[in-house]
């Protein structure tokens, strides 16, 4: 069990304590936190002559390795428990010295406190959180100097006559041309100089060697241009103008505040919060915008460029190592003024951060489940609080957590009521699949689009407009089943069905063409077997249920003349593919777009007037406490793609349960009463945000080991008022990547701390080597 006691015994520091302890005495000991799954800093000796301060990035020995860590605030400024005190008794002479300091701006006190805060809250080792803040080890070394050449100082006066030359040096025409070119004394890159003089690179090298040219270091060119906040902003009226004004005041105040920017899709939230960014830039501070799907944000970047003249720095998983390195350093050095990024941008080393925007704040993509499980939106609020600056959460369908915080006055709220330019919100029709049944299609078999949806598509296309079909399920079919014996094809490593994929280039011709079977959880792949592994019948496997590829197949049969395209995360290869396809839709090259949730995200398609949701009930199943909320948010967002420009939009939701509160709320557009109802339901059962949840997931390659450990843990489970422990039970995904999983769910009253309870519960428990215990505070997935 990782020892958590020391860090939780210390209150998360949020104030000024220990921020400026000044230069440390030479040869004193310092604590250095290492980016490894360790919970404490280790002590090191400061060699004579080296002055280090908290926050300095240093290279230290660890066993036989050298590791880069951060000088943490002196251990004696914090209360110690016994174990740490004995740690600190390591004799001075046995401490190993710091090897050297790294040429990188020190980690700010703010970021150090943030790292501690996140570690305490998520119950992750401090070092694991530090690792996210030092995510680009290469960036911690000074960049290689850029070398340029110029005429050697002593020569420049007399060089014009080409007379002065060292012994043994022979003038050639080529050499004369170079010297003539360099006669102005300016430094230029060797490549530029040889090109300008029309000579080969070796000529320039020869002149350097002979001492006629000298090498000088020049600073590398700026890679991140400053966004220009003085460019012309759009004109704002009404709600928008009010919101812009209020946000500007908050940014100028330079104090912590949280504001929800709540407006229907297309109401101008992005334009409005960019003005807050402009105000932040004007105040000389850095700004960060978190987006859930940064890879798909081409349109967003274009908007930014229009407002500020240049692109912002970007931070996401598709960056090359060189880009990561340059961006990390540019953020640390203050060259990058605005960063737009995915959740990990939260841990970048901003020196002057003055504003955070979280766009689509309700998105579950902000929750990371990894070594450190954290919710980027919630941690962004913490970072703003520690830093004392405003944060803006934007959404058309805010999370229940955020709405509750608005209701109880902790967050402010700015509302945008109408779509910009007077576009109307689309009308939403519920299509009852029990009455309006999809009929079989000749040559294709089962159909998934009901007759009235087919008719609506035909009509839309005939009018020269665009339609979109949405199904939040990748692949061709979610299940493959033996028609003779009912056997279903399962992943050998997970509790999951194998999903058939036929690929985007498949012709879709002829029945029975077996595709590629994939597990969406572990990546296992197999060809569909020719005969059933249970009953031996041949050719008996059949695709069961639709994925987005199967809808594309049906669309091809029904609308052969439409210009169709499929858009799903696995059919798009890289961010450029997404951008290309989005552009093709915008340019009208595609008029029937079929996609998963990647088509739902913030795109603006002016000519798209019909959205058909193939299976609106899909998200309502499963043991997720947020199933209704999420379904509402996702479907509302999909619906928001329709009719964003002049023409009114129409949305058709195919459902087998039109009376479900989610469907009714979508149809009536009455978001507030839906959330009121949802909120009451959660309140009654002490579910978040009215109570707290934490998940403990025990996993092992050996089932009995997991069970044995859980029985032990269950015996020690704390029991007092205000807490409830569910489990241990096999997780819905009882087998994942070959590990057997059992879970406990801890439910507590809002005023209790699940971290403290888990601490007490697991203190002193030894975790056998093959077992893993994952702690997920505020879990968002329950598989
Ligand atoms: P949201 O973020 O709320 O979905 P957007 O900011 O994307 O809304 O705005 C929708 C569309 O309206 C965009 O094309 C945007 O450029 C345009 N728009 C919004 N507000 C204005 C404004 N004040 N002036 C000009 N165009 C605007
Ligand atoms: Zn069979
Ligand atoms: Zn699997």
């Amino acid at each position: 069990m990782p020892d958590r006691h020391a860090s939780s015994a210390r209150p998360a520091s949020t104030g000024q304590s220990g921020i400026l302890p000044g230069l440390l005495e030479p040869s004193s000991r310092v604590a250095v936190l290492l980016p490894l799954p360790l919970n404490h800093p280790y002590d090191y000796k400061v060699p004579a002559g080296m002055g280090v301060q908290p926050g300095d990035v240093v290279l230290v020995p660890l066993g036989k390795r050298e590791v880069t860590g951060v000088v943490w605030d002196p251990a004696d400024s914090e209360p110690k428990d016994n174990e740490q005190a004995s740690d600190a008794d390591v004799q001075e002479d046995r401490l190993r010295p710091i090897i050297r300091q790294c040429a990188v701006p020190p980690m700010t006190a703010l970021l150090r406190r943030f790292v501690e805060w996140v570690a305490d809250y998520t119950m992750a080792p401090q070092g694991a959180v530090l690792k996210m803040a030092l995510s680009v080890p290469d960036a911690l070394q000074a960049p290689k100097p850029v070398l340029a050449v110029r005429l050697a100082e002593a020569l420049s006066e007399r060089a014009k006559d080409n007379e002065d030359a060292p012994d043994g040096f022979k003038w050639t025409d080529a050499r004369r041309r170079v010297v003539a070119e360099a006669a102005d004394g300016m430094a230029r890159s060797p490549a530029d100089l040889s090109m300008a003089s029309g000579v080969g690179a070796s000529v320039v090298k020869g002149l350097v060697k002979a001492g006629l040219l000298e090498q000088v270091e020049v600073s590398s060119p700026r890679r991140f241009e400053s966004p220009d906040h003085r460019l012309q902003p759009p004109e704002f009226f009404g709600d928008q103008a009010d919101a812009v004004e209020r946000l500007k005041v908050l940014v100028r105040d330079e104090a912590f505040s949280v504001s929800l920017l709540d407006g229907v899709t297309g109401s101008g939230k992005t334009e409005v919060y960019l003005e807050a960014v402009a105000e932040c830039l004007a105040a000389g501070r850095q700004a960060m915008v978190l987006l859930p799907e940064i890879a798909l944000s081409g349109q967003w970047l274009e908007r930014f460029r229009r407002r500020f003249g240049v692109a912002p720095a970007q931070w996401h998983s598709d960056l090359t190592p060189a880009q990561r390195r340059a961006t990390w350093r540019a953020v640390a050095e203050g060259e990058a003024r605005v960063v737009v990024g995915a959740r990990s941008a939260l841990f970048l080393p901003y020196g002057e951060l003055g504003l955070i925007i979280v766009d689509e704040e309700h998105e579950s993509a902000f929750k990371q489940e990894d070594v450190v499980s954290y919710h980027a939106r919630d941690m962004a609020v913490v970072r703003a609080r520690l830093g004392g600056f405003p944060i803006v959460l934007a959404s058309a369908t805010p999370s229940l957590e955020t709405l509750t915080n608005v209701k109880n006055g902790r967050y402010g709220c700015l509302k945008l009521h109408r779509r910009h330019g007077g576009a109307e919100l689309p009308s939403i029709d519920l299509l009852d699949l029990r009455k309006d049944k999809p009929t079989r299609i000749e040559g294709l078999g089962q159909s998934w689009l009901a007759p009235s949806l087919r008719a609506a598509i035909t009509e839309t296309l005939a009018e020269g407009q665009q339609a979109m079909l949405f199904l939040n399920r990748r692949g061709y079919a979610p299940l493959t089943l033996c028609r003779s014996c009912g056997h279903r094809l399962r992943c050998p490593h997970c509790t999951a069905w194998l999903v058939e994929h036929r690929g985007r280039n498949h012709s879709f011709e002829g029945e029975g063409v077996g595709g590629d079977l994939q597990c969406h959880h572990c990546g296992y792949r197999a060809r569909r077997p020719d005969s059933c592994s249970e009953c031996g019948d041949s050719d008996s496997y059949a695709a069961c249920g639709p994925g987005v590829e199967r809808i594309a197949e049906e669309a091809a049969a029904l609308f052969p003349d439409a210009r169709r395209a499929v858009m799903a995360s696995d059919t798009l290869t890289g961010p450029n593919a997404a951008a290309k396809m989005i552009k093709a839709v915008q340019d009208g090259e595609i008029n029937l777009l079929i996609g998963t949730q990647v088509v739902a995200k913030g795109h603006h398609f002016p000519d798209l007037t019909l959205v058909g949701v193939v299976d609106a009930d899909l998200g309502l199943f499963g043991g997720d406490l947020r199933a209704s909320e999420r379904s509402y948010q996702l479907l509302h967002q999909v619906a928001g793609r329709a009719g964003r420009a002049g023409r009114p939009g129409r949305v058709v939701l195919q459902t087998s349960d039109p009376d479900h509160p989610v469907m009714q709320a979508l149809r009536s557009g009455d978001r507030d009463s839906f959330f009121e109802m949802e909120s009451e339901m959660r309140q009654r059962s002490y579910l978040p945000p009215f109570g707290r949840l934490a998940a403990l997931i025990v996993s092992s390659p050996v089932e009995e080991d997991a069970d044995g450990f859980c029985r032990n843990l269950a015996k020690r489970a704390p029991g007092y008022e205000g807490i409830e422990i569910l489990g241990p039970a096999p997780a819905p995904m009882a087998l994942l990547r070959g590990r057997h999983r059992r879970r406990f769910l801890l439910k507590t009253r809002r005023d209790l701390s699940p971290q403290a309870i888990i601490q007490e519960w697991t203190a002193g428990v030894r975790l056998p080597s093959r077992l893993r215990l994952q702690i997920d505070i505020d879990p968002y997935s329950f598989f």
Side-chain angles (χ1 to χ4, degrees):
M1 188 83 1
D3 168 34
R4 299 272 331 154
H5 197 62
S7 73
S8 66
R10 183 177 62 236
S13 17
T14 56
Q16 297 289 311
S17 64
I19 286 188
L20 279 175
L23 228 80
L24 300 163
E25 288 295 307
S27 89
S28 62
R29 67 164 68 205
V30 287
V32 176
L33 188 62
L34 302 175
L36 301 167
L38 303 165
N39 211 24
H40 308 289
Y42 283 170
D43 279 359
Y44 284 90
K45 189 158 71 186
V46 183
M50 185 190 282
V52 294
Q53 283 183 292
D56 281 353
V57 181
V58 291
L59 189 71
V60 295
L62 181 75
K64 291 198 174 108
R65 286 193 291 163
E66 295 183 348
V67 183
T68 306
V70 175
V71 176
W72 223 244
D73 308 62
D76 52 3
S77 70
E78 289 157 2
K80 280 183 228 156
D81 64 8
N82 290 339
E83 200 211 343
Q84 256 198 333
S86 63
D87 247 24
D89 285 340
V90 177
Q91 296 94 324
E92 196 87 12
D93 55 346
R94 283 185 49 204
L95 286 179
R96 301 178 72 183
I98 291 175
I99 299 167
R100 63 180 162 80
Q101 287 169 287
C102 300
V104 64
M107 179 176 282
T108 60
L110 204 61
L111 185 48
R112 301 199 301 278
R113 300 294 82 83
F114 183 59
V115 165
E116 288 171 348
W117 207 99
V118 173
D120 278 347
Y121 190 83
T122 60
M123 302 192 77
Q126 282 187 357
V129 181
L130 179 70
K131 189 169 181 205
M132 301 195 293
L134 296 180
S135 59
V136 194
D138 279 355
L140 304 175
Q141 313 308 330
K144 285 207 189 71
V146 177
L147 286 179
V149 290
R150 68 173 178 213
L151 209 57
E153 193 112 332
L155 287 173
S156 42
E157 276 311 300
R158 291 167 293 162
K160 280 162 211 139
D161 41 25
N162 284 340
E163 294 313 317
D164 216 30
D167 291 344
F169 179 82
K170 272 183 59 194
W171 280 106
T172 60
D173 271 359
R175 286 178 161 174
R176 286 206 172 84
R177 282 210 299 279
V178 175
V179 170
E181 189 65 38
D184 58 6
M186 297 257 288
R188 18 168 115 51
S189 76
D192 283 354
L193 184 56
S194 59
M195 188 132 86
S197 349
V199 304
S202 60
V203 181
V204 172
K205 260 190 217 151
L207 285 166
V208 171
K209 210 165 154 210
L212 272 81
L213 292 176
E214 61 187 6
Q215 285 184 318
V216 285
E217 282 184 22
V218 292
S219 52
S220 57
R222 282 181 73 85
R223 287 193 228 201
F224 297 89
E225 302 263 9
S226 293
D228 186 354
H229 61 271
R230 288 157 311 183
L231 295 182
Q232 189 64 38
E235 281 187 291
F236 297 104
F237 303 99
D239 290 347
Q240 285 191 342
D242 293 346
V244 167
E245 227 14 79
R246 278 177 61 194
L247 288 180
K248 282 184 169 178
V249 170
L250 290 172
V251 173
R252 277 199 295 268
D253 280 352
E254 302 202 355
F256 171 62
S257 64
V258 191
S259 309
L260 169 64
L261 183 56
D262 176 1
V264 294
T265 48
S267 59
K269 296 184 292 299
T270 312
E271 303 290 351
V272 166
Y273 72 62
L274 286 182
E275 292 316 299
V277 171
E279 194 69 21
C280 175
L281 290 172
R285 301 184 71 167
Q286 290 168 295
M288 164 170 76
V289 181
L290 294 181
L291 299 181
E293 303 266 344
I294 182 71
L296 298 167
S297 59
Q299 283 187 326
W300 192 96
L301 292 174
E302 193 37 55
R303 204 87 81 69
F304 187 94
R305 215 173 286 127
R306 215 185 305 144
R307 175 64 183 87
F308 296 108
V310 297
Q314 296 178 55
W315 190 255
H316 52 81
S317 52
D318 288 331
L319 296 184
T320 64
Q323 285 171 326
R324 297 183 83 72
R325 188 173 181 281
T327 307
W328 196 93
R329 270 197 92 92
V331 172
E333 289 166 355
E335 188 183 312
R337 306 309 298 171
V338 180
V339 177
V340 57
R343 57 196 179 203
S344 57
L346 197 51
F347 292 92
L348 286 173
Y350 309 92
E352 304 163 308
L353 192 58
L355 174 69
I356 301 177
I357 311 280
V358 183
D359 201 352
E360 310 289 359
E361 67 88 28
H362 62 277
E363 276 287 338
S364 43
F366 285 123
K367 178 71 197 275
Q368 157 154 318
E369 280 142 13
D370 206 330
V371 182
V372 184
S373 295
Y374 69 96
H375 198 299
R377 174 199 62 217
D378 298 348
M379 295 305 115
V381 170
V382 171
R383 188 154 188 176
R385 181 159 54 76
L386 295 177
F389 57 76
I391 173 167
V392 179
L393 311 178
S395 176
T397 52
S399 61
L400 193 57
E401 277 78 2
T402 296
L403 286 173
T404 306
N405 278 321
V406 168
K407 207 167 151 193
N408 62 27
R410 287 159 48 106
Y411 293 0
C413 182
L414 307 165
K415 269 192 182 271
L416 305 180
H417 291 97
R418 279 166 297 279
R419 282 188 156 185
H420 175 74
E424 277 173 50
L425 282 170
S427 66
I428 298 188
D429 299 331
L430 303 179
L431 188 161
D432 188 341
L433 282 172
R434 295 166 308 182
K435 296 185 187 135
D436 194 356
K437 287 199 183 85
T439 47
R440 293 182 73 82
I441 297 173
E442 193 69 37
L444 200 66
Q446 176 73 53
S447 154
W448 314 97
L449 306 175
S452 59
L453 177 54
R454 291 182 197 169
I457 297 171
T458 307
E459 216 170 278
T460 304
L461 297 180
E463 282 167 19
Q465 286 157 26
Q466 292 168 315
M468 180 168 108
L469 285 170
F470 171 78
L471 176 63
N472 200 15
R473 211 191 246 150
R474 289 188 286 131
Y476 182 81
L479 178 69
T480 302
L481 178 113
C482 171
R483 273 177 302 217
S484 308
C485 75
H487 175 66
R488 300 157 171 216
L489 288 173
R490 240 193 63 161
C491 174
H493 312 295
C494 306
T495 313
W497 308 124
L498 290 174
V499 178
E500 184 179 340
H501 286 254
R502 293 194 177 178
R504 63 196 147 137
N505 296 324
H506 198 280
S507 63
F508 296 125
E509 268 157 30
E511 266 271 47
V513 185
D516 180 23
L517 300 174
Q518 289 178 22
C519 172
H520 282 181
H521 301 278
C522 72
Y524 171 85
R525 293 177 97 129
R527 292 294 302 174
R528 183 209 269 186
D530 292 334
S531 55
C532 175
S533 58
E534 293 297 299
C535 70
D537 269 10
S538 53
D539 282 336
S540 63
Y541 281 123
C544 196
V548 72
E549 291 177 15
R550 199 168 191 181
I551 300 304
E553 179 183 77
E554 178 170 345
L558 291 169
F559 314 105
D561 300 330
R563 298 183 298 279
R564 303 172 309 273
V566 184
M567 194 164 161
S569 58
D570 61 326
T571 62
L572 294 170
T573 42
N576 292 338
K580 248 192 231 156
M581 189 164 287
I582 289 162
K583 185 157 187 310
V585 180
Q586 274 176 333
D587 294 348
E589 283 162 31
I590 290 165
N591 60 1
L592 179 54
L593 181 64
I594 300 150
T596 60
Q597 59 172 334
V598 294
V599 300
K601 312 289 170 193
H603 312 303
H604 188 63
F605 300 133
D607 292 326
L608 185 82
T609 53
L610 174 69
V611 169
V613 175
V614 177
D615 185 353
D617 310 328
L618 192 59
L620 294 172
F621 304 111
D624 185 339
L625 77 99
R626 294 182 181 83
S628 287
E629 178 187 348
R630 274 195 198 157
S631 276
Y632 180 86
Q633 286 160 341
L634 179 61
L635 295 176
H636 181 93
Q637 187 160 31
V638 181
R641 298 312 107 210
R644 282 173 64 102
R647 276 173 300 260
R650 181 175 171 208
V651 180
V652 177
L653 304 180
Q654 296 199 136
T655 171
S656 298
D657 190 3
D659 296 326
H660 193 287
V662 169
M663 301 308 146
Q664 287 299 321
L666 285 163
R667 194 186 54 85
S668 65
D670 190 356
R671 181 189 92 186
D672 293 343
S673 10
F674 171 70
F675 273 86
E676 200 52 49
M677 193 174 72
E678 185 68 15
S679 169
E680 277 166 25
M681 192 275 289
R682 298 230 200 129
Q683 205 155 7
R684 271 199 306 275
S685 33
Y686 297 102
L687 286 170
F690 305 100
R692 296 179 189 275
L693 280 185
L696 280 74
I697 298 146
V698 174
S699 68
S700 165
V702 182
E703 195 165 4
E704 294 75 46
D705 290 359
D707 284 329
F709 183 77
C710 284
R711 271 194 301 277
N712 254 333
L713 216 51
K715 268 186 235 148
R716 320 168 44 116
Y720 40 83
E721 215 199 294
I723 76 173
E724 187 183 346
I725 292 174
L726 308 169
M733 182 115 0
L735 185 67
L736 180 63
R737 294 186 199 94
R739 299 183 70 90
H740 297 270
R741 302 166 79 241
R742 302 287 179 268
R743 57 188 295 149
F744 291 93
L745 199 60
L746 169 67
K747 208 165 123 181
T748 78
R749 269 192 343 232
R750 182 99 208 138
D751 57 339
L752 296 176
S753 152
Q755 290 89 344
I757 296 165
I758 294 173
Q759 193 72 65
E760 180 193 327
W761 184 6
T762 58
V765 174
R766 281 247 149 268
L767 193 65
S769 62
R770 278 190 302 182
L771 259 71
R772 208 178 291 152
L773 171 63
Q774 276 168 279
I775 296 173
D776 188 1
I777 305 288
D778 306 330
Y780 273 69
S781 59
F782 298 84
F783 61 83

